[in-house]
Amino acid sequence: VQLQASGGGLVQAGGSLRLSCAASGHTFSSYPIGWFRQAPGKEREFIGAISWSGGSTYYTDSVKGRFTISRDNAKNTVYLQMNSLKPSDTAIYYCAADPNPWGPEYYSGSISSYDYWGQGTLVTVSS
């Protein structure tokens, strides 16, 4: 499966953006999708995931209550809605697919579980 993240850009603090992760490949709907970000000079960090059914989601504390992950398997797309953005959210955002789910509600928080990665999209939040 090939992934492509899009929707990044420049936004003021307090604003919103919606990122999309579009996939090719008929197996996309069977894969949990994770979202990660990497700020300048920092390691890539996991921020959330959605199971392949879409019924389960997880968010790290840094984004909980502000970010929402959803998916439309008919369109082979996963979304990351980001609200109340902060300058600390500035990073390159990546989506990734885990090809080995344990079930329809499964997702992993481990970066090593994700084998397929998109190219990333830059989000810059100005103060």
Side-chain angles (χ1 to χ4, degrees), residues 3-126:
L3 304 175
Q4 182 169 350
S6 63
L10 174 64
V11 64
Q12 288 187 332
S16 298
L17 280 176
R18 188 177 79 159
L19 305 186
S20 298
C21 176
S24 61
H26 64 280
T27 54
F28 170 80
S29 61
S30 301
Y31 294 165
I33 299 295
W35 282 96
F36 299 79
R37 66 185 181 186
Q38 187 166 17
K42 295 187 177 181
E43 294 186 351
R44 191 170 300 187
E45 67 166 331
F46 169 75
I47 59 171
I50 187 166
S51 61
W52 67 252
S53 73
S56 295
T57 53
Y58 176 82
Y59 306 94
T60 60
D61 288 344
S62 61
V63 305
K64 191 179 299 181
R66 300 187 298 122
F67 291 10
T68 303
I69 302 172
S70 60
R71 69 189 298 160
D72 185 340
N73 286 337
K75 295 183 178 179
N76 276 8
T77 303
V78 172
Y79 304 98
L80 177 65
Q81 177 67 43
M82 306 186 296
N83 299 328
S84 302
L85 283 162
K86 306 174 183 179
S88 57
D89 294 317
T90 294
I92 298 174
Y93 283 72
Y94 300 88
C95 58
D98 175 359
N100 299 298
W102 287 79
E105 304 304 330
Y106 173 84
Y107 52 78
S108 173
S110 173
I111 192 169
S112 62
S113 297
Y114 294 88
D115 290 346
Y116 304 109
W117 290 82
Q119 86 290 0
T121 186
L122 176 63
V123 173
T124 304
V125 184
S126 64

